[in-house]
Amino acid sequence: MTKLIVDDVEIDVPPEYTLLQACEQAGAEIPRFCFHERLSIAGNCRMCLVEVKGGPPKPSASCAVAVRDLRPGPNGEPPVVLTNSPMVRKAREGVMEFLLINHPLDCPICDQGGECDLQDQAVAFGFASSRYAENKRAVEDKYIGPLVRTSMNRCIHCTRCVRFTAEVAGTADMGAIGRGEDMEITTYLETAMRSELQGNVADLCPVGALLPKPYAFKARSWELVKTDSIDVMDALGSAIRVDVRGREVMRVLPRQNDSVNEEWISDKARQIVDGLKARRLDKPYVRENGRLRPASWREAFALIAQKVKAAPPARVGALAGDLATLEEMFALKTLMGGLGAVSLDCRQDGTKLDPAFGRASYLFNPTIAGIDESDGLMIVGANPRLEAPVLNARIRRRWLKGGYKIGVIGEQADLTYDYAYLGAGPETLAGFSEHARAKMEKPILLVGQGALARPDGFAILSVAAKAALSLGVVTEGWNGFSVLHTAAARVGGLDLGFVPGQGGLDAAAMAQAGALDVLYNLGADEIEIGPGAFVIYQGSHGDRGAARADVILPGAAYTEKSGLYVNTEGRVQLADRANFPPGEAREDWAILRALSETLGRKLPFDSLKGLRARLFSVHPGLAGLDAIAAGDAQGLEKLAAAGGAAGSAPFRSTVEDFYLTNPIARASAVMAECSALRLDLARQAAE
């Protein structure tokens, strides 16, 4: 630690801190435009100038000077830094005057108004008037894709967007051309950005040069009610904020959570907003003479009760979809238990994970933050860039630090970092099951759904567990065996035991023609259900599941209900309600509670609070919000010994189109445009 005095406040800080960080730790406010804690230092804007006593007779850029570079006083006194001296104030006024020479005076019509760093700092540090009467420069707006709108007259060349695409996203989409007055920030040949994280540049931009295109001219920040929630577009559980005006979701923004997503979110998490309004189910429907017609809740419940009571328990089953909360899955499982049904499954993609082998067999055990302290990674049957873009950015950051070997078994995809390609399928993985211990202290073996969601998935999972034990991935104090999920509801469903009971059918078997008489489909839209069964679909969107349904019960989307999710590392998270469902749609647990009374199997709770109390009494490990109940690694030894016959087909990621993975995304016109652009870029690359 190093001592220094900032505005008469003596502090101890690490020597690698920048002066800017040290000053803020002392309680001083340092304005900045180009500096960002998660990006490299550029020193472009010079807004963060401070005065260093005994240093050069001019202000110093606090973002680019390290504490270790300061000299002590003549008698060994701690260095002295001033953040509000006359020299500093005059320098900041001069910098602001320069920044505003070319900046257009369009604050009243700028979408960044009310959230603009330049606007705020011009008030706090601006000069009374400008001494420049020359014409402002004009810069043509650029097309950089369907998600980010440009107004490059406002650009102050802070290069945050350039550094983000190069360092975090790993695509190097943006750069600068020209010099001096002619310098412009643009994409290569003005093409669309290719990153799945590109929307974050709009958050980073300190002025209104880069803005979210779908949100353009929709609302002002002070009109919105802001609700903290959790993203469910993948299994990472990124922290988000949902902004609502009236009953309508206007935008989704990231919240900082260093343990999960830091301050980034994927483009799908950010821009599925229009999908929350389109193709919504807002009233019950029943199928009559092959066609769906609107019905009352009473009529729909009566028809369901008639069919369920006529079917033997062995011919009744239930599926839970990828966006289901813990509460509704627990309510459905309890209801099915009351009916005597044992055919339950939350694994609609056919993954062969089983809670019988313990929690460690299906969690990302080293945790997401554990990637930062790991020293090696093997990826098996996964494409993290498409399945969890924010997780992929964290892997890239660890790789950039150096000393990090990455191997891949599966598809040869562009993951934004270098890796050793080891092989395509199970034979390569089997070669590591009796391999010498890796010369690493904290390696990670990451297994994706591309290896597990196939007929031989259980055998591959067993081989992966055996390889993890052989390579030393699981040791005292470190469990690097990691399963990367793609569905927000999957870990929670496995924790609840929402899997077939003794003699029950799994998802694939239930979907077969004639396998069941009655199938309750709780938002499972990624599985094709054969003819024969009477299908009850409960969900929010008119997607694939609704098209096959005989009765439709309109549920709530994830922003319209308060619900718990468990992310891929086993962290329990709360997605709070931001708005209300449309029409006659209701929260899913409430629908199940009302239906249970009609079926004569009344569920033992009347409120969400009562449901959660019941849930936590049965599954106490899920009661700790934002906590991870670690799995027992001994279950991996049982799993490794289970064996099985693995096939020879190569691994392929289960995510074919990043933008269209669930009903909300498929209802979004913005996601459809992104998907079409991705196909065009892929076709051009192939040519």
Side-chain angles (χ1 to χ4, degrees):
M1 303 293 279
T2 303
K3 286 187 186 300
L4 70 157
I5 299 172
V6 178
D7 294 340
D8 299 326
V9 177
E10 186 173 306
I11 57 172
D12 275 333
V13 295
E16 63 270 15
Y17 265 32
T18 63
L19 277 188
L20 189 151
Q21 292 170 307
C23 291
E24 293 202 330
Q25 186 157 317
E29 181 182 353
I30 305 295
R32 87 290 299 268
F33 293 115
C34 67
F35 177 80
H36 192 277
E37 289 81 357
R38 304 190 195 280
L39 302 176
S40 62
I41 294 170
N44 291 340
C45 72
R46 320 307 284 183
M47 195 66 202
C48 63
L49 296 172
V50 295
E51 181 180 355
V52 180
K53 286 289 186 181
K58 61 179 182 179
S60 299
S62 61
C63 72
V65 178
V67 170
R68 65 161 62 93
D69 296 332
L70 299 183
R71 295 178 181 177
N75 300 314
E77 304 96 336
V80 176
V81 179
L82 302 177
T83 68
N84 200 28
S85 66
M87 177 197 289
V88 171
R89 288 197 299 272
K90 183 178 180 181
R92 288 178 182 170
E93 286 176 357
V95 170
M96 180 59 69
E97 188 178 5
F98 274 118
L99 288 173
L100 295 177
I101 288 174
N102 284 310
H103 200 79
L105 303 176
D106 58 357
C107 293
I109 61 163
C110 176
D111 259 13
Q112 195 88 340
E115 299 174 307
C116 178
D117 292 347
L118 185 64
Q119 196 176 55
D120 295 341
Q121 292 181 33
V123 171
F125 305 103
F127 193 61
S129 61
S130 176
R131 291 169 288 182
Y132 293 89
E134 289 80 8
N135 292 330
K136 294 179 182 289
R137 68 170 187 167
V139 181
E140 204 171 300
D141 291 342
K142 312 293 192 299
Y143 171 78
I144 60 175
L147 300 182
V148 180
R149 181 172 67 90
T150 61
S151 183
M152 302 312 290
N153 282 333
R154 303 168 184 160
C155 181
I156 61 171
H157 301 160
C158 70
T159 68
R160 280 186 180 182
C161 55
V162 176
R163 285 174 284 149
F164 174 83
T165 57
E167 298 165 15
V168 179
T171 55
D173 283 327
M174 302 195 75
I177 59 173
R179 298 186 68 186
E181 185 183 16
D182 297 323
M183 179 177 170
E184 296 182 23
I185 302 295
T186 182
T187 55
Y188 181 65
L189 298 180
E190 294 192 27
T191 56
M193 288 194 284
R194 298 162 294 156
S195 171
E196 295 77 20
L197 299 167
Q198 61 183 271
N200 290 288
V201 300
D203 294 336
L204 289 171
C205 185
V207 295
L210 301 176
L211 293 162
K213 187 179 286 187
Y215 176 70
F217 307 112
K218 295 285 179 65
R220 290 292 197 180
S221 60
W222 54 85
E223 301 175 318
L224 307 175
V225 177
K226 302 164 180 65
T227 305
D228 291 349
S229 190
I230 296 298
D231 171 46
V232 299
M233 294 297 108
D234 56 33
L236 200 68
S238 299
I240 60 172
R241 192 187 83 197
V242 181
D243 288 358
V244 174
R245 184 175 62 188
R247 296 175 64 99
E248 183 180 359
V249 174
M250 302 304 297
R251 65 178 178 180
V252 172
L253 295 175
R255 284 188 296 123
Q256 184 167 331
N257 185 344
D258 289 340
S259 299
V260 181
N261 61 305
E262 299 179 296
E263 57 188 86
W264 319 123
I265 55 172
S266 71
D267 294 334
K268 186 165 51 176
R270 183 188 299 271
Q271 300 295 5
I272 47 80
V273 171
D274 62 321
L276 291 166
K277 298 176 285 188
R279 300 173 63 181
R280 290 303 303 270
L281 299 172
D282 59 358
K283 63 183 68 174
Y285 289 84
V286 298
R287 191 173 294 278
E288 195 173 86
N289 299 322
R291 297 177 67 88
L292 290 167
R293 65 167 179 83
S296 66
W297 282 101
R298 187 183 300 273
E299 185 181 1
F301 283 175
L303 181 57
I304 293 170
Q306 175 190 334
K307 294 293 184 179
V308 170
K309 290 174 181 176
R315 302 279 296 175
V316 177
L319 289 172
D322 293 347
L323 307 181
T325 66
L326 284 178
E327 291 90 343
E328 60 211 50
M329 286 191 288
F330 179 73
L332 181 56
K333 184 186 177 190
T334 305
L335 178 59
M336 289 293 127
L339 295 171
V342 292
S343 295
L344 311 171
D345 210 345
C346 64
R347 307 162 302 181
Q348 63 169 324
D349 62 354
T351 185
K352 298 303 185 290
L353 298 167
D354 193 334
F357 292 96
R359 212 166 187 242
S361 68
Y362 58 84
L363 290 186
F364 198 98
N365 291 289
T367 72
I368 295 165
I371 292 172
D372 297 340
E373 57 183 290
S374 64
D375 52 6
L377 172 67
M378 182 188 291
I379 300 172
V380 180
N383 183 337
R385 180 174 174 181
L386 298 182
E387 296 169 20
V390 178
L391 178 78
N392 196 63
R394 194 180 281 257
I395 295 173
R396 173 178 166 78
R397 187 181 70 181
R398 175 62 189 88
W399 169 76
L400 284 172
K401 288 181 180 178
Y404 199 61
K405 293 183 178 179
I406 302 175
V408 170
I409 302 176
E411 295 179 84
Q412 281 186 282
D414 178 8
L415 299 180
T416 72
Y417 41 81
D418 294 336
Y419 57 82
Y421 185 65
L422 305 175
E427 298 93 340
T428 307
L429 178 61
F432 289 95
S433 61
E434 296 181 359
H435 197 276
R437 183 186 175 94
K439 296 178 181 179
M440 301 172 185
E441 293 184 4
K442 293 183 176 181
I444 292 177
L445 178 66
L446 186 155
V447 185
Q449 302 307 305
L452 305 177
R454 40 191 273 167
D456 60 350
F458 181 77
I460 292 170
L461 180 63
S462 178
V463 173
K466 192 174 182 181
L469 297 173
S470 174
L471 291 167
V473 170
V474 182
T475 59
E476 185 69 30
W478 177 258
N479 185 349
F481 184 79
S482 309
V483 176
L484 179 60
H485 290 271
T486 55
R490 190 62 42 75
V491 174
L494 294 170
D495 282 344
L496 294 174
F498 203 100
V499 293
Q502 186 68 34
L505 304 177
D506 64 10
M510 282 189 272
Q512 294 296 317
L516 296 174
D517 292 339
V518 177
L519 177 59
Y520 202 107
N521 183 347
L522 182 63
D525 290 277
E526 316 307 320
I527 186 170
E528 187 173 338
I529 301 170
F534 179 83
V535 178
I536 304 143
Y537 178 77
Q538 180 178 327
S540 59
H541 285 70
D543 202 70
R544 300 164 183 168
R548 171 61 185 86
D550 296 291
V551 173
I552 294 175
L553 305 177
Y558 74 102
T559 61
E560 299 160 359
K561 57 189 175 185
S562 178
L564 296 170
Y565 291 89
V566 185
N567 76 345
T568 193
E569 61 181 346
R571 186 185 302 272
V572 182
Q573 299 173 296
L574 174 66
D576 218 345
R577 181 170 65 189
N579 62 329
F580 293 90
E584 298 178 44
R586 296 292 181 266
E587 291 187 53
D588 294 274
W589 74 266
I591 295 173
L592 290 161
R593 166 62 181 81
L595 176 60
S596 69
E597 201 157 1
T598 305
L599 294 174
R601 297 289 188 272
K602 184 177 176 181
L603 292 173
F605 43 80
D606 296 312
S607 65
L608 183 59
K609 182 178 179 181
L611 190 163
R612 284 179 178 161
R614 182 85 175 182
L615 168 64
F616 297 151
S617 67
V618 179
H619 301 280
L622 299 175
L625 195 61
D626 204 37
I628 302 173
D632 187 355
Q634 289 184 348
L636 295 176
E637 297 178 4
K638 283 174 52 183
L639 182 60
S648 58
F651 299 138
R652 294 190 61 82
S653 172
T654 55
V655 177
E656 295 181 2
D657 191 333
F658 167 74
Y659 298 104
L660 304 176
T661 56
N662 60 61
I664 301 175
R666 287 191 288 270
S668 167
V670 175
M671 292 295 99
E673 185 179 355
C674 291
S675 176
L677 180 62
R678 181 192 66 84
L679 291 174
D680 285 344
L681 291 174
R683 186 165 53 250
Q684 291 171 14
E687 292 172 355

